[in-house]
Amino acid sequence: MSSTQSRYHEVYARWKADPEGFWAEAARGIDWIRPAGTVFDPKAGIYGRWFTDAVCNTCHNAVDRHVAQRGEQAAIIYDSPVTGTKRAVTYAELQDEVATLAAVLRDMGVEKGDRVVIYMPMIPEAAFAMLACARIGAIHSVVFGGFAPKELATRIDDAKPKAILSASCGIEGARVLAYKPLLDEAITLSASKPESCLIYQRPQCEASLVEGRDRDWQSETARARREGRRAECVPVAATDPLYVLYTSGTTGKPKGVVRDNGGYMVALKWSMEYFFGVKPGEVFWAASDVGWVVGHSYIVYGPLLHGCTAILYEGKPVGTPDAGAYWRVIADHGVVTLFTAPTAFRAIKKEDPNADLLKRYDLSSFRALFLAGERADPDTVKWAEDILNVPVIDHWWQTETGWPVAGNLLGLGALPVKHGSPTVAVPGYELDVLDESGKSVGRGKMGTIVAKLPLPPGCLPTLWNADQRFRESYLSVYPGYYNTSDAGYIDEDGYVWVMGRTDDIINVAGHRLSTGGMEEVLASHPAVAECAVIGVKDSLKGEVPCGFVVLKSGVQKAPEEIEKELVGLVREKIGPVAAFKLAITVPRLPKTRSGKILRGTMKKIADGEEWTTPATIDDPIILEEIGEALRARGVTG
Ligand code: COA
Ligand code: AMP
């Protein structure tokens, strides 16, 4: 489709001319208990707040409001190849499930404003849990199942939840992973103890309950249902937090991204129609996990706010059972739009390069593929376009923003695609690229991508209990702008090119991780004198971490043994999701004369890219040693 057929430029200009009018109109898509008198208050919060005097309930908008019109339509389809289960939950059933679970939360003493941690696998009950919290104004904080107890404990200590909702186990491919022992360990490690836990027992692995603290999910909900107890939707301020979602920061301490109710609903509802081009009643599938922002915005809230059917998929793109799994789900449920990370497509391509398995399925319902979470490499995009013959749309956003910052807005008519670029700024975001002194670099030049304040509805107003960290992390470096910490450029046509992070964050299989956090773990090993972790290119996961360690003098143990311990230590402290499999002992680390480790140069060496010896390096031979050590371990150097 050519740009002349797209309404993008007209809509973007309309937003820019009158942002408040634009968002006031979008807000009409939401049911308000009290609509906003003030659309944006520049004096409220840290950089202003949206819909400050409005009152609403997100669960009502995602569930109850649809029951009259589409009560018998599937709200959620749970498709779990790992357990051989398919289950459709209608909007009417969802209302019953959520209202009942909300009553159980009330029994557990959970009230408006209380935090509830959710540590669950990809089962419908995870979505029920989120919505039940939203229903009574409790603030949920979902923690991804691939994190280790220590990471869970850090989040518990920060959020201080009154209750924790969990399940007996998760299922990863063919493996059953007991979650409950991990939860018990996390609670032991944390200083802030929840009053109670509600545990969903899965038949694959029964968990034992701690007396006085743990309750059985199924018996509690059955009892509430028998007694006819349901909790109704509680009015909350549009600016009240709906959830806190922790994401990697530049230290081992994750950032608690706060999401409000009103602005988030407005932005998501708008994005479903105008970004994704989806209509109420259609089937929308985000193949992610409820533990990530994609799961919050586009497995649960976005599709449900829009009256779509959301797919909740417990499986992988490959191996459950094969590389045709995604095509099977699309065909079985009439999916119109799939959203996943490029890594999933790299995994499929690796197993089935000619997409032979695709021929077995009828994909006539399928209209578009959306990719995000990491840079969509042109090869993967082209491959997906060739095999699927539908638009493949790269879009860029972050946990902090909650919805796309740049992308090709299918709902407004797509612009021509440039492979490797997530296309243009979404209405709501005025993007620029700045140099280190904060000056705009102009078109085509690399720098840090920033968004002019205020951020649109849906984006984070602050970090949980950490206003100062919010200011320092995002607003102080470039006054008047939100610093995305992504490097890139904007070309002559206004297309955004996102090339990598400016901080220590790496992207492993679409999962965001801090190398600083991994360095903290390596440094805690008694044999390690100093260390550096970098992300090295990986053909499947995009990037994988690689740790370099210098051992303390006098250490007797063999380096190989210590390296094995270090791999185990990162898995134990951060979790399997870190995919930390490579620790390399080196005699010393390359540093500048002022003592700064040259991580950037090390990364170039590891990725086989051209590199030059920095003028400030202490001793250039050390870089040669790094190259040799990498080659010895089979990493291109
Ligand atoms: N609970 C417990 N452990 C989990 C987990 C969960 N919810 N999710 C992942 N893990 C574990 C995995 O089992 C694996 O452990 P292992 O080292 O013992 O094998 C480890 O964490 C790494 O997981 P993952 O990054 O998913 O790698 P993988 O090799 O199992 O699969 C892909 C690779 C590409 C197939 C997979 O990452 C994928 O499907 N990614 C695309 C979709 C996506 O998740 N996107 C997220 C953002 S949109
Ligand atoms: P997360 O907060 O986990 O969603 O990760 C956000 C980070 O992932 C961004 O800051 C980018 O570095 C990266 N990212 C996400 N989507 C894209 C994309 N489409 N292109 C390039 N990088 C992306």
Side-chain angles (χ1 to χ4, degrees), residues 16-218:
K16 211 166 166 202
D18 178 16
E20 287 184 38
F22 184 91
W23 291 118
E25 191 187 316
R28 291 201 196 109
I30 298 300
D31 268 4
W32 300 95
I33 296 166
R34 187 173 76 213
T38 308
V39 177
F40 181 72
D41 179 358
K43 294 208 179 70
I46 295 177
Y47 62 86
R49 297 293 308 260
W50 294 95
F51 310 111
T52 36
D53 50 1
V55 176
C56 56
N57 184 281
T58 299
C59 180
H60 166 80
N61 275 280
V63 183
D64 302 60
R65 78 179 292 203
H66 301 304
V67 171
Q69 210 190 329
R70 50 183 85 249
E72 296 314 304
Q73 177 197 313
I76 295 174
I77 294 177
Y78 167 55
D79 186 305
S80 168
V82 294
T83 58
T85 315
K86 283 185 203 170
R87 174 186 170 198
V89 182
T90 66
Y91 271 100
E93 287 164 347
L94 183 61
Q95 186 188 38
D96 174 63
E97 292 282 3
V98 171
T100 306
L101 182 57
V104 173
L105 285 177
R106 278 270 171 72
D107 293 345
M108 294 162 73
V110 177
E111 293 297 335
K112 183 172 162 180
D114 287 337
R115 274 80 56 211
V116 174
V117 161
I118 299 173
Y119 185 63
M120 294 189 71
M122 283 289 286
I123 53 176
E125 286 71 18
F128 304 163
M130 294 161 77
L131 293 161
C133 291
R135 193 169 189 86
I136 58 171
I139 304 164
H140 60 70
S141 187
V142 184
V143 179
F144 177 62
F147 282 120
K150 184 169 170 294
E151 288 288 324
L152 176 56
T154 307
R155 287 154 174 79
I156 293 172
D157 276 337
D158 198 66
K160 300 190 175 37
K162 179 158 271 179
I164 299 184
L165 272 52
S166 188
S168 56
C169 64
I171 300 161
E172 274 288 295
R175 284 175 300 163
V176 174
L177 304 175
Y179 272 28
K180 184 60 180 8
L182 306 179
L183 173 64
D184 289 341
E185 196 185 330
I187 295 174
T188 305
L189 288 171
S190 61
S192 164
K193 312 282 180 200
E195 280 174 20
S196 54
C197 297
L198 188 67
I199 309 297
Y200 187 84
Q201 298 282 12
R202 303 188 77 184
Q204 292 79 9
C205 156
E206 194 97 345
S208 55
L209 303 184
V210 173
E211 233 190 276
R213 186 196 74 188
D214 297 347
R215 303 176 184 213
D216 179 89
W217 187 304
Q218 284 95 326

Side-chain angles (χ1 to χ4, degrees), residues 119-122 143-147 170-173 175 177 179 182 286-289 292-295 313 315-318 326 339-348 372-374 397 507-512 540-541 571 575-581:
Y119 185 63
M120 294 189 71
M122 283 289 286
V143 179
F144 177 62
F147 282 120
I171 300 161
E172 274 288 295
R175 284 175 300 163
L177 304 175
Y179 272 28
L182 306 179
S288 179
D289 188 286
W292 306 117
V293 69
V294 176
Y313 175 70
K316 298 261 173 182
V318 293
Y326 276 16
F339 174 162
T340 190
T343 189
F345 267 70
R346 288 195 296 270
I348 296 169
E374 56 174 323
W397 51 297
N507 221 301
V508 181
H511 309 319
R512 170 170 160 178
L540 175 67
K541 298 195 174 191
R571 196 178 170 91
V577 66
F580 184 86
K581 307 256 155 103

